[in-house]
Amino acid sequence: MKGERHTPPRWMDWLIELYCRRDKLEDLQGDLHEYYARNVKKSRFRADLIFLLDVIKFCRLYTIRKPKILGQMTFFNLLGNYFKTSVRSLARNKLFSAINIIGLSISMSIGILMITYINQLLSYDDFHENKEIVFKVYSTYTSVEDGDNIELASNSVFMADKLKEDYPGIADVLIMQGWATKDFTYDEKTLQLEGKFASEQFFDFFSFKLLSGDPKTALKEPYSVVLTETAAEKYFLDEDPVGRIFQSGEDTYTITGLMEDPPSNNHLGTFEMLESFSTQRSKQKDNKGFGSWGNLWSYHVYIMMDEVTDASTAQGYLDQISLTKNAEVERYDINYHLIQLDDLVPGNGESNNIGPYINWGDIYKLIALTVIIIASACFNYTNLSIARSLRRAKEVGIRKVVGASYQQVFIQFLFEATLISLIALVIAYGMYLLIKPEFIRQVIDSEGVALDFRLQHVPLYLLFTIGIGLFAGFVPALILSRLKAISILKDATKLKLFKGLTMRKVLIVFQFSISMALIISATISYRQYLFSVHYDLGFNTDNVLNIDLHDTNVDVELLRTEFEKIPEVQNISISSMLPATQTMHMTEIVYKEDSLSVFYNKVDMNYLDIHEIAFAAGGTFPLKKSIGDSSGYIVIDEVLCEKLGFQNPADALGAVIDYSGSNYTLEVSGVMKDYQYTDLQNELGATAFIQRFEDRVYYMNLLINTSDIIGLMDKLEGAWRTVDPVHSFKAEFYEVQVQESYADYKTMFRLFTFLALIAISICSLGLLGIVVFTTETRIKEISVRKVLGATDKNLIYLLSRSFIAMLLVSALIAIPFSYYLFDEYVLVDFRERISIGVMELLPGVAIIVLIAFITISWQTLKAAKTNPADMLRDE
Amino acid sequence: MKGTNLGEFEEIVLLTIASLMTEAYSVNIVDEIADVTGRKTKLGVVHSVLNRLEDKGLIASELGEPTKERGGRRKRFFQITHTGKVALMKAKEQRDKLWGNIPELVFQGIR
């Protein structure tokens, strides 16, 4: 029986080794092996079995290894002692304890915030039963012309249908669309409901609970809606809404289901109703573009795998489709990839998300900043503990003489650090509750992130706290536990405790560099924000009030007449979007059979006047057009003028351009000078103002002249009410809207300022502690110097010299670092940006130096002012 | 008092160890008991008895040389100590005494 095993299975041996006493193990195991060798000749199975039974049978009192209870007992006995000494040491040095605890709790409050936030993000879509087999199909749009990739969370109706029809391995396909918000009337009550389109597979794919109605068919028929409880309550209170009829404009909808309100941690975000996607299909029947392959900007496709199909097979299908389709189109390529349902949030920066938009990049940045802040607070603890370790050295010496091992002393000081961090946790949690609402509003700025308390957070918080304690206490514990009892007790003053001096300096320099870098970052972000907001847009926004008409079906002409009655309103125009607010509308135009992509704004005649657009040639639309006309005018910018092939702007006048996809022709009436269509972060493309020819209007722009803005707003709102009593009146000044489009930089500024404040307070506390310690230990030296004739000035210089040097080193690190970071990474997005100069870099450094200097001089002055007689008389 | 007298099986094990001289280790003892008395004993039982006897100081043990069949592990060889010898002698003495006290006719009457 060569090649076969003649020894018992390894795990059985392992089992006996596990329990058996070392002194009994060898011969017992040997005996069993001997028996095994006998038995195995007959049958291996039987031998194995006997061996196993023997192993179990030999587990007796006299063979079992005695657990090392003794060692652990000492630890638990000493625990009380450690606790007592820690508390005493805390109470003896109130200042240092306060500095440590406050510093740690400030930074830990941010840590708790991050833990809660990230925990919430990771819990997104975890409640769906099918989260393992449901995938969303994401798309990548690549323009052949410039090779740019656009990553999209959206997809096309074409893909949904193709996957469902041609690929049987895919169990089912769900198609959704984000924006189904509309007004519904029931029993003379009209309300606007926020909603999404979904096909009938919705309740199969997702585990949202349908309280009433049939989950299989609720979203099948056109003009069906499913309400959430919140929405249903608005209309029907507690009655079951299923079967009732809603009116929305011309259309009649049937309520086919009532669902629970969606939980906040789902990737669709909040919604009040779902409308059957078949409604979209029947409405868009005649729209050729609806089911086209390239129309991938507003639909969302999910697929469910069957038992045999896995993600890589499905990916194969997707690649197959894009391969054949990409061959048909020249201008762009579209590729697809799959993301599993519970991995959708946080995303990787895709556009066109159906719900809240949070991406990993931002989270990593937040985590990095948090780690830096927390490390800074831990360094405080490390620094102060090392500095003060001389005072604890005697205790360590006694402990060691009495018999404490190196490990025991090490554990004692780790225990002490953990105790402090646990105390800090309590304070930190209070602080966390204070900063939470502000954080949600300013930084997350996304619906559906509530940061509610969950029980599962408690162990995370504790783990985090213990981790902080261990991290902060590691170095002091190491240094103290390495001390030799004999040298401590012989002459404590000769101890080489200051080996850690260089490290302490490095840590302080680190803390200050961080604070300076943060404050410089805050300054730069704020300056860029101001610069962007005040940048010359190339058109007038003063006194322009924009009325938002999205989601209303207001009669524009009626509204215009009403507004015209108000004397303060000087002029009224209409536009499809607002330039310089980060929105962009794009279309195709055809000139001499060349088609071009153009960013456009559909406006009326007055628009160009109100906004005082400057022309390089020609002028505004010469004629007013009404809806239904087959031709109109267009005003192009200089970039487009050049792209169309005109040498001079004047040459372009009178050229006739086709508006792609319609019979509408456009005659160039003017060429305008460059202006801001989008924001400073995006490249200027070819843009045009197209005369409005269809009945879709999103904004009304009023040029007003009044000193009583509040009074005027009331009048405008009154006029609005007479035309549209259902929807709320939404008006904002153009200038404010432009500012809001740079809100990211404002948020960045606020975040940096907030973190800078925290970092500064932590490092100032640490500095204070170190300065207090140094002056205390050197007080005799100071007194002697004073007796010998040193002046206060000399002494302050002597004491603060090394600290000032450290500050300068920090500045030398922080300035180039933040300069490089912003110059190379942050501000590169901007087409027009500030140059980072002395005014951006120095104020931050100056503030930190000032704060540090106040801290230092406060203590050194106190030391220098002490009466030497008080200090020296006992010598 | 428990522990001052040998149990029946303890006695057999002790006698076996004595008879095996330098070759007395657990497996051998089990085999020997089986050969001589025909009793099939379990290793576990012998092991615990050996352990008990060693605790009482009736036998002493030392480890021998590693052998291949035991996966390179050493055998533990047992030897009778002086106390062990005394205990065995005492047991034998007691029995001899009892045997001597029995009149022959007692056995004759039993068939």
Side-chain angles (χ1 to χ4, degrees), chain A residues 23-24 26 31 34 38, chain B residues 25-26 31 51 70 74:
Chain A
D23 58 330
K24 301 262 178 209
E26 187 169 349
D31 289 352
E34 205 172 324
R38 282 185 202 175
Chain B
Y25 79 99
S26 46
D31 292 348
N51 187 62
R70 296 165 66 91
R74 289 172 294 177

Side-chain angles (χ1 to χ4, degrees), chain A residues 36 64 90 96 171 188 235 279 312 334 416 478 506 614 637 639 683 874:
Chain A
Y36 185 86
I64 295 177
L90 278 180
F96 293 107
E188 296 191 355
Y235 288 94
T279 321
S312 57
I334 301 174
E416 187 170 323
L478 202 67
V506 169
D637 69 357
V639 180
E683 288 296 314
D874 295 333

Side-chain angles (χ1 to χ4, degrees), chain A residues 556-557 560 571-576 601-611 620-621 623-625 635 689-693 697 699-701:
Chain A
V556 178
E557 291 312 314
R560 190 200 284 265
N571 205 344
I572 299 174
S573 73
I574 281 167
S575 66
S576 63
N601 186 7
K602 285 180 187 161
V603 299
D604 68 355
M605 269 177 80
N606 298 342
Y607 184 89
L608 300 166
D609 292 339
I610 289 179
H611 295 84
T620 183
F621 311 141
L623 287 171
K624 197 175 167 178
K625 289 283 170 181
V635 168
F689 286 118
I690 296 172
Q691 194 164 24
R692 181 173 83 95
F693 59 87
V697 170
Y699 292 99
M700 191 170 260
N701 329 99

Side-chain angles (χ1 to χ4, degrees), chain A residues 10 13 17 23-35 37-38 54 57-58 60 62-63, chain B residues 25-27 30-31 41-45 47-48 51 54 63 69-76 78:
Chain A
R10 187 68 201 107
D13 261 337
E17 281 159 21
D23 58 330
K24 301 262 178 209
L25 177 67
E26 187 169 349
D27 68 308
L28 176 58
Q29 205 173 8
D31 289 352
L32 293 181
H33 273 253
E34 205 172 324
Y35 268 92
R38 282 185 202 175
D54 277 340
K57 277 196 294 192
F58 269 104
R60 299 181 188 198
Y62 73 94
T63 55
Chain B
Y25 79 99
S26 46
V27 176
V30 173
D31 292 348
T41 47
K42 292 274 180 229
L43 180 68
V45 180
H47 238 275
S48 71
N51 187 62
E54 199 172 2
L63 290 168
E69 56 186 343
R70 296 165 66 91
R73 289 177 190 84
R74 289 172 294 177
K75 294 170 184 168
R76 183 177 291 276
F78 293 93

Side-chain angles (χ1 to χ4, degrees), chain A residues 759-811:
Chain A
I760 292 170
S761 36
I762 289 172
C763 73
S764 310
L765 281 174
L767 185 70
L768 181 68
I770 291 290
V771 174
V772 168
F773 173 76
T774 336
T775 47
E776 261 177 26
T777 44
R778 293 177 75 179
I779 194 76
K780 269 182 200 140
E781 180 198 336
I782 293 167
S783 305
V784 172
R785 281 177 190 273
K786 223 172 163 184
V787 169
L788 295 177
T791 59
D792 285 0
K793 231 200 245 156
N794 291 347
L795 289 173
I796 292 176
Y797 171 71
L798 175 82
L799 288 169
S800 44
R801 192 175 47 189
S802 64
F803 293 113
I804 301 290
M806 278 190 261
L807 280 179
L808 291 180
V809 174
S810 314

Side-chain angles (χ1 to χ4, degrees), chain A residues 702-723:
Chain A
L702 311 184
L703 184 65
I704 56 169
N705 180 16
T706 177
S707 52
D708 176 20
I709 290 167
I710 298 169
L712 176 63
M713 284 303 220
D714 286 345
K715 281 188 202 170
L716 290 172
E717 187 157 6
W720 173 273
R721 285 264 155 265
T722 60
V723 182

Side-chain angles (χ1 to χ4, degrees), chain A residues 137-367:
Chain A
V137 189
Y138 277 28
S139 44
T140 309
Y141 178 93
T142 313
S143 156
V144 168
E145 191 186 334
D146 48 16
D148 281 351
N149 283 338
I150 308 178
E151 298 292 340
L152 296 166
S154 56
N155 213 311
S156 54
V157 180
F158 172 88
M159 267 310 267
D161 296 347
K162 182 95 179 161
L163 286 169
K164 194 171 167 69
E165 280 157 24
D166 295 359
Y167 295 94
I170 289 166
D172 216 340
V173 178
L174 164 71
I175 182 158
M176 291 193 70
Q177 190 183 346
W179 197 255
T181 302
K182 54 174 69 70
D183 301 336
F184 288 111
T185 311
Y186 179 79
D187 198 14
E188 296 191 355
K189 188 174 190 178
T190 302
L191 292 168
Q192 188 178 57
L193 294 184
E194 245 180 75
K196 301 185 190 298
F197 291 101
S199 57
E200 70 259 30
Q201 293 86 354
F202 185 84
F203 292 102
D204 278 350
F205 274 57
F206 303 137
S207 304
F208 296 111
K209 265 198 205 102
L210 198 63
L211 300 172
S212 172
D214 180 2
K216 294 267 176 250
T217 57
L219 291 165
K220 194 166 182 141
E221 298 304 318
Y223 300 100
S224 312
V225 289
V226 171
L227 299 185
T228 64
E229 281 182 292
T230 310
E233 204 177 321
K234 287 182 189 170
Y235 288 94
F236 310 105
L237 297 171
D238 287 340
E239 293 168 53
D240 187 356
V242 173
R244 305 201 189 223
I245 305 295
F246 264 162
Q247 202 65 36
S248 178
E250 307 276 288
D251 304 325
T252 309
Y253 288 85
T254 314
I255 301 173
T256 51
L258 172 70
M259 64 179 283
E260 262 183 11
D261 285 334
S264 65
N265 57 346
N266 89 84
H267 76 284
L268 300 171
T270 51
F271 55 91
E272 294 177 292
M273 66 98 183
L274 293 166
E275 182 176 337
S276 56
F277 193 77
S278 47
T279 321
Q280 269 310 69
R281 287 191 193 272
S282 74
K283 275 187 183 169
Q284 306 275 353
K285 222 168 23 213
D286 302 325
N287 181 350
K288 269 183 283 171
F290 176 71
S292 79
W293 186 58
N295 187 0
L296 43 67
W297 312 94
S298 25
Y299 308 102
H300 298 264
V301 176
Y302 301 81
I303 58 175
M304 193 193 281
M305 310 292 181
D306 65 9
E307 290 82 21
V308 285
T309 316
D310 60 5
S312 57
T313 324
Q315 183 63 48
Y317 298 159
L318 299 175
D319 293 343
Q320 201 180 328
I321 297 173
S322 30
L323 198 68
T324 43
K325 294 302 282 188
N326 281 338
E328 292 171 20
V329 204
E330 278 176 18
R331 286 184 31 251
Y332 54 81
D333 282 349
I334 301 174
N335 290 295
Y336 303 99
H337 62 276
L338 293 169
I339 309 268
Q340 198 171 314
L341 179 57
D342 52 351
D343 295 335
L344 291 176
V345 178
N348 288 312
E350 296 88 358
S351 310
N352 291 1
N353 290 278
I354 193 166
Y357 165 73
I358 299 156
N359 78 53
W360 275 116
D362 295 339
I363 296 172
Y364 289 144
K365 280 180 213 153
L366 284 176
I367 292 178

